Amino acid sequence: MAAKKTATSSATAIPGSGGATPARSSTPTPATMTAKASKSSGSSPNDMVQKVIKYYINTTGPRTNLIDVFLVFLVVNGAVQFLYCIIAGNYPFNAFLAGFCATVGQFVLTASLRIQTQEANKNDFPSVSPERAFADYVVCSLILHFFCVNFIN
Amino acid sequence: MDLFAEGAKGQNARTLFRAVILCFIAAAAISSRLFSVILDPWFNFRATKYLVANGFYQFWDWFDDRTWHPLGRVTGGTLYPGLMVTSGIIYHALRAVSIPVDIRNICVLLAPAFSGLTAFASYILTNEMVTSPSAGLLAAIFMGIAPGYISRSVAGSYDNEAIAIFLLVITYAMWIKALKQGSMLYGALCALFYGYMVASWGGYAFITNLISLHAFVLLAMGRFSSRLYVSYTTWYALGTLASMQIPFVGFLPVKTSEHMPALGVFGLLQLVGFIEYLNFAVPGRRWFFYGCLFGSVLLGFFGLVALTASGVIAPWSGRFYSLWDTGYAKIHIPIIASVSEHQPTAWPAFFFDLNMLIWLFPAGVYFCYKQLKDEHVFVVVYALTASYFAGVMVRLMLTLTPIICVSAAIAVSKMLDTYLDMDSPDPDDYPMEEAPESSKKKKPFEEKEEKPVGIFGLISKGIVVGGMTVYLLLFVLHCTWVTSNAYSSPSVVLASRMPDGSQHIIDDYREAYQWLRQNTREDAKIMAWWDYGYQIGGMADRPTLVDNNTWNNTHIATVGKAMSSREEVSYPIMRQHEVDYVLIVFGGLLGYSGDDINKFLWMVRIAEGIWPDEVKERDFFTPRGEYRVDAGATDTMKNSLMYKMSYYNYNSLFPPGQAQDRVRGVKLPEQGPTLNTVEEAFTSENWIIRIYKVKDLDNVGRDHASAVAFEKGHKKKKQTSKRGPRSLRVE
């Protein structure tokens, strides 16, 4: 998710399209444009990263950006904890595990929320409205943090 | 069943009918478990009493010094507390609404109550598989009365499995619901039930691995969906945390190989999810991405191998290997192989425990395979793995029973739905060749559409439905018979039939435990084989050396060594462990085959595992490889403490030279064994339990053998007159 900086500039994009699934039926126009472009141009990794960024900017709405910023924060947070564990040792293993699990758990829950709130994924989740998704998210996060606090010693 | 629902008009009436039927099924499930009520697993009961008396935190820190003497056992940290906490909560809840009820009654009735809930859970699970509601009801009734499950949940069978099977089924039901709807909430519910399951039964690893296997199979079939991502990751993140709350499990989910598949699939799903996103962003590079995926999977795999090799992650345990190689446990961990529940299942057991369900089972799996949606893949995966495991170990029949009930119910309901449909279909509506091209184009793993099936003749309908009804009735009869005959007899009380057909109760165990309770000191240590440890602790309330929680193999081997060695070797061992009494089970007089002489070889094997130089299994067999107890027995056998204690004074029951062992069906040598270091303290009515007192050191410093010889020289006459031929008391 290399979108931390570009989050503000994409406010004009079509809100809430795209997402992490292969729901091809509802591909929005920007995606098809990039698709055509990708065939013609070269295939260096640099190009690809640029394409992904472009696609992201074009297809992601501001709310989703907010979620993504949180996701990036969680990834960084988890990485820092893991580094600390490697460098400084895992002495209070309970505490490390609780912290790391909280980060990972929050990450997957947030990712799930992001998936469920995408327009493109409507077909996959006929029974989950965005509001319901958010309510589920809150409940699950509460459970997660309850367990973590209990485990942290 | 379905007819009633059909007859009632309107959705509400049907729902009501369904609810009423479910209640009846639950009632039937509970009442069929009440044939006899005797509390059996004593340890759980003891633990529950401790929990209720001392509160939760005390229970957590409970150190039990009355078992595993002299080691003791950190009970709070080494048990699965789910069962005790459940009954504790029920107890306090009933108190709160001022229904004073004894904790013992709760313990006795917990298993039947939960079996009612299991029936309901299998209703939910089956309803996720098929659209026809009758299948769910059938699954519920099957689950309610299938002997394979009743065997572990009769009233009084207060064991972990009593609640674990309910949790198993409901966890799977929640998992399927979560997967179908892609709902975080159901994923979280699934994780909570999973956590409860972890708190209750060591078999939770089956859930961990089956769910991850299901997810992996779906991935391998190219069926990644965001629903799968949402449900699996929610379940795993919350479920793992929940499972780590149990002290006994602790860090195991991140430190042992048994839990690694779940973690691996979790990581895999993250990668696949990310790649699907990239794929969407940059089309046309699919193979490149999948190459990266494959590379990272390989990397992860080798990382895992390296971590295992370096000892960060514990390798697969012996219990795991024994599932794949049935001979493994016998060689490396005899303690596991010696448990009767861990033997491979005999074929008749399947028919005995499941009757007609066993042949309906493949049909149900076939119907699932025909549709092959995500949830049907689960049935197929579950069926395959559980059938294998049930074949390896008798005990795992329990995990197979739910899926058998579900798929048999699917098969039966499919059949009844087809044949009970009153209006015959019009042949013109269904042309025989229905677009063959389109069906050929389908990929092998795509979901398939169903073609409607109809039956034309009334006669064929009648025959099939009638036949099915007869089978169902026979099944109910079989279940009732099995339950009342095979599974309702507790192990401490044996029932036999007198020649005139009246029932005769053999109550030697309780007689002996009562004797211990009344005639020995409060802290007299009892040495017995571990099978009887919980019973001695619970019923006689005396400390034991080893018990059914077989956590310390060496300690058990010590007892095995003491039993299988010569008296001169055994006596120091018993002195060191402060043994006051030795309790053995002997069935020779009555023909009770579950006695210690028949278990003796396991004691020898377990002892041999620790002291291969001092105890040798080969020495207990004759040169021709026979295991004999009569005059032809080997010297090692004849001199072993167990043999001597079993047959000590046994001759006096019979006319000279006529002593007979009715289990082994052999005549015993005329001269019975002599005992020097222990003396007979108690023998129960039918000689099933014999208790010996370990003698103190001799007053004048002789060794026991010479002391006994000395005494015999003087008191030969008195000895015989005191102990005349014993006659068998008959009621």
Side-chain angles (χ1 to χ4, degrees):
Chain A
M1 306 278 167
K4 208 176 172 186
K5 282 179 209 159
T6 53
T8 47
S9 64
S10 66
T12 50
I14 303 159
S17 54
T21 55
R24 272 149 207 291
S25 54
S26 56
T27 311
T29 31
T32 39
M33 273 157 60
T34 47
K36 274 171 198 165
S38 76
K39 271 174 199 164
S40 55
S41 64
S43 57
S44 69
N46 207 10
D47 268 7
M48 214 140 68
V49 172
Q50 273 177 359
K51 248 175 245 163
V52 172
I53 294 174
K54 209 155 119 198
Y55 172 80
Y56 180 81
I57 294 169
N58 285 341
T59 55
T60 315
R63 279 189 192 182
T64 315
N65 287 147
L66 204 63
I67 292 180
D68 286 338
V69 172
F70 187 43
L71 284 176
V72 171
F73 164 72
L74 285 171
V75 168
V76 172
N77 194 350
V80 167
Q81 287 186 47
F82 199 72
L83 263 180
Y84 177 84
C85 167
I86 290 174
I87 295 167
N90 59 9
Y91 162 57
F93 196 45
N94 274 81
F96 163 68
L97 219 53
F100 194 66
C101 285
T103 320
V104 172
Q106 199 62 60
F107 176 82
V108 294
L109 289 178
T110 316
S112 299
L113 175 71
R114 185 189 191 281
I115 292 172
Q116 289 189 342
T117 46
Q118 299 298 301
E119 276 297 313
N121 294 332
K122 261 276 155 69
N123 297 335
D124 260 352
F125 302 99
S127 59
V128 182
S129 63
E131 291 79 14
R132 160 87 190 270
F134 190 72
D136 283 2
Y137 174 72
V138 171
V139 170
C140 290
S141 304
L142 281 178
I143 297 174
L144 177 80
H145 289 287
F146 168 75
F147 281 141
C148 283
V149 170
N150 191 30
F151 192 62
I152 208 162
N153 269 355
Chain B
M1 236 172 267
D2 201 38
L3 271 180
F4 289 174
E6 220 70 68
K9 295 286 174 220
Q11 197 63 37
N12 286 336
R14 285 185 198 194
T15 317
L16 182 68
F17 264 122
R18 245 171 259 149
V20 170
I21 291 171
L22 267 178
C23 288
F24 274 128
I25 289 173
I30 292 171
S31 56
S32 72
R33 284 163 168 78
L34 301 178
F35 278 106
S36 79
V37 180
I38 288 184
L39 193 63
D40 210 8
W42 283 92
F43 169 72
N44 293 330
F45 178 53
R46 222 176 114 229
T48 311
K49 274 202 293 193
Y50 188 90
L51 168 69
V52 170
N54 296 309
F56 189 65
Y57 288 102
Q58 287 269 318
F59 178 67
W60 231 212
D61 300 330
W62 183 22
F63 180 81
D64 189 359
D65 57 353
R66 293 183 72 75
T67 53
W68 294 93
H69 184 83
L71 307 173
R73 175 183 169 199
V74 193
T75 314
T78 56
L79 52 55
Y80 292 101
L83 184 71
M84 297 103 198
V85 173
T86 307
S87 23
I89 288 173
I90 295 174
Y91 175 77
H92 287 300
L94 286 179
R95 288 264 149 153
V97 293
S98 58
I99 304 176
V101 60
D102 191 10
I103 185 71
R104 196 178 56 201
N105 296 336
I106 293 173
C107 294
V108 167
L109 293 176
L110 192 74
F114 266 86
S115 72
L117 289 177
T118 314
F120 182 63
S122 38
Y123 171 78
I124 299 175
L125 180 61
T126 317
N127 268 356
E128 294 299 320
M129 301 294 165
V130 280
T131 44
S132 157
S134 62
L137 292 175
L138 278 168
I141 187 74
F142 286 161
M143 198 66 210
I145 61 173
Y149 175 44
I150 283 189
S151 65
R152 294 317 188 83
S153 59
V154 286
S157 145
Y158 183 56
D159 217 340
N160 287 339
E161 286 92 338
I163 60 172
I165 295 304
F166 161 68
L167 294 170
L168 184 88
V169 179
I170 195 81
T171 309
Y172 286 146
M174 289 300 136
W175 160 245
I176 296 296
K177 259 189 186 304
L179 179 64
K180 274 175 84 174
Q181 301 185 5
S183 152
M184 273 190 273
L185 185 67
Y186 279 115
L189 276 178
C190 178
L192 287 182
F193 278 117
Y194 171 74
Y196 191 7
M197 172 78 180
V198 176
S200 308
W201 195 37
Y204 74 89
F206 181 59
I207 298 187
T208 324
N209 287 315
L210 189 66
I211 290 183
S212 49
L213 181 65
H214 180 213
F216 183 74
V217 168
L218 286 179
L219 275 180
M221 285 165 76
R223 287 215 186 159
F224 175 82
S225 64
S226 35
R227 280 175 291 120
L228 179 63
Y229 179 89
V230 171
S231 49
Y232 187 86
T233 51
T234 312
W235 166 74
Y236 183 77
L238 294 182
T240 308
L241 263 176
S243 68
M244 288 194 292
Q245 312 293 314
I246 314 300
F248 189 34
V249 177
F251 300 137
L252 291 186
V254 289
K255 285 205 153 175
T256 55
S257 296
E258 279 85 352
H259 298 84
M260 284 303 126
L263 179 64
V265 171
F266 179 74
L268 194 63
L269 271 175
Q270 308 294 339
L271 284 177
V272 174
F274 186 60
I275 282 176
E276 287 291 341
Y277 179 80
L278 288 183
N279 217 353
F280 201 41
V282 191
R285 310 295 304 264
R286 205 182 187 85
W287 292 112
F288 173 72
F289 290 136
Y290 278 101
C292 294
L293 175 70
F294 188 68
S296 44
V297 167
L298 270 188
L299 205 70
F301 181 73
F302 283 119
L304 194 66
V305 170
L307 280 178
T308 313
S310 64
V312 179
I313 295 172
W316 297 95
S317 70
R319 276 175 199 266
F320 172 80
Y321 286 122
S322 65
L323 283 179
W324 305 111
D325 175 9
T326 43
Y328 180 89
K330 200 172 168 181
I331 305 164
H332 299 277
I333 16 177
I335 184 74
I336 290 180
S338 76
V339 181
S340 63
E341 287 177 339
H342 293 174
Q343 307 302 318
T345 319
W347 278 112
F350 283 99
F351 294 92
F352 186 74
D353 275 356
L354 299 159
N355 197 257
M356 71 159 192
L357 301 183
I358 196 71
W359 50 261
L360 284 169
F361 168 54
V365 175
Y366 169 73
F367 283 129
C368 287
Y369 187 75
K370 253 178 88 180
Q371 292 187 333
L372 215 62
K373 288 188 189 135
D374 290 352
E375 62 268 26
H376 300 122
V377 175
F378 178 76
V379 173
V380 175
V381 171
Y382 187 177
L384 286 178
T385 48
S387 324
Y388 174 77
F389 291 138
V392 173
M393 262 191 207
V394 180
R395 188 184 189 184
L396 296 178
M397 186 75 107
L398 208 56
T399 53
L400 176 67
T401 309
I403 192 61
I404 285 204
C405 290
V406 168
S407 33
I410 291 174
V412 173
S413 83
K414 190 102 182 167
M415 198 152 163
L416 288 183
D417 283 352
T418 312
Y419 279 89
L420 275 177
D421 195 4
M422 274 306 158
D423 29 288
S424 295
D426 191 358
D428 300 335
D429 288 353
Y430 309 112
M432 290 308 280
E433 295 296 318
E434 206 180 279
E437 305 95 75
S438 65
S439 63
K440 268 179 194 165
K441 273 179 194 165
K442 276 183 181 170
K443 286 176 191 170
F445 289 131
E446 291 290 300
E447 295 167 9
K448 290 162 190 160
E449 282 169 26
E450 273 186 275
K451 286 181 199 162
V453 182
I455 304 299
F456 300 93
L458 265 184
I459 299 172
S460 52
K461 279 182 190 173
I463 291 173
V464 171
V465 172
M468 211 61 230
T469 317
V470 170
Y471 274 127
L472 287 171
L473 289 176
L474 278 179
F475 176 64
V476 172
L477 277 183
H478 173 83
C479 291
T480 321
W481 178 78
V482 168
T483 312
S484 64
N485 278 296
Y487 290 139
S488 291
S489 49
S491 55
V492 285
V493 181
L494 310 168
S496 72
R497 300 237 171 243
M498 299 296 266
D500 61 349
S502 63
Q503 202 175 36
H504 180 61
I505 300 289
I506 296 162
D507 211 359
D508 279 40
Y509 282 95
R510 290 200 297 175
E511 186 193 347
Y513 296 144
Q514 191 65 23
W515 183 89
L516 275 179
R517 198 180 255 270
Q518 290 176 348
N519 294 287
T520 59
R521 274 183 296 115
E522 184 94 335
D523 60 343
K525 280 88 188 169
I526 316 289
M527 182 172 91
W529 191 234
W530 61 262
D531 297 29
Y532 319 110
Y534 279 171
Q535 288 177 3
I536 296 172
M539 295 172 82
D541 192 26
R542 291 292 173 269
T544 53
L545 256 66
V546 291
D547 65 24
N548 307 41
N549 174 278
T550 51
W551 68 275
N552 190 330
N553 188 31
T554 315
H555 213 52
I556 291 179
T558 310
V559 173
K561 187 185 171 194
M563 295 287 197
S564 53
S565 309
R566 287 176 299 116
E567 275 189 78
E568 297 85 74
V569 181
S570 307
Y571 187 69
I573 299 178
M574 294 193 285
R575 291 292 301 184
Q576 279 163 8
H577 291 83
E578 299 178 316
V579 176
D580 294 298
Y581 292 91
V582 185
L583 181 148
I584 59 158
V585 174
F586 173 65
L589 182 63
L590 208 65
Y592 170 55
S593 61
D595 69 350
D596 277 346
I597 290 285
N598 276 358
K599 290 173 185 169
F600 190 38
L601 280 180
W602 286 113
M603 305 182 199
V604 174
R605 278 177 204 145
I606 291 168
E608 190 182 4
I610 307 285
W611 294 280
D613 299 332
E614 296 174 59
V615 185
K616 290 193 184 69
E617 189 184 349
R618 188 68 194 86
D619 294 343
F620 291 83
F621 290 105
T622 59
R624 288 173 58 198
E626 294 163 312
Y627 179 62
R628 295 177 71 160
V629 295
D630 55 359
T634 60
D635 283 344
T636 319
M637 180 76 189
K638 277 183 178 169
N639 287 325
S640 67
L641 186 67
M642 173 59 77
Y643 180 90
K644 282 181 166 184
M645 286 195 297
S646 289
Y647 293 109
Y648 182 69
N649 255 338
Y650 189 56
N651 294 29
S652 60
L653 276 180
F654 297 87
Q658 300 287 308
Q660 214 195 357
D661 183 324
R662 294 196 178 118
V663 179
R664 267 75 46 179
V666 290
K667 242 170 90 174
L668 294 168
E670 199 163 329
Q671 198 63 43
T674 51
L675 278 172
N676 297 328
T677 55
V678 295
E679 57 189 359
E680 185 176 358
F682 173 80
T683 296
S684 66
E685 183 185 337
N686 299 301
W687 286 56
I688 286 185
I689 307 267
R690 309 196 67 180
I691 299 172
Y692 289 86
K693 185 171 175 32
V694 180
K695 283 183 190 167
D696 229 333
L697 289 173
D698 192 60
N699 281 342
V700 272
R702 298 166 298 182
D703 66 78
H704 285 99
S706 56
V708 169
F710 179 76
E711 224 149 276
K712 268 194 177 161
H714 280 278
K715 296 182 179 172
K716 208 163 212 172
K717 268 180 189 169
K718 206 178 171 188
Q719 181 83 17
T720 44
S721 63
K722 193 175 134 196
R723 251 194 200 288
R726 249 177 124 152
S727 62
L728 177 59
R729 275 174 280 168
V730 180
E731 281 180 340

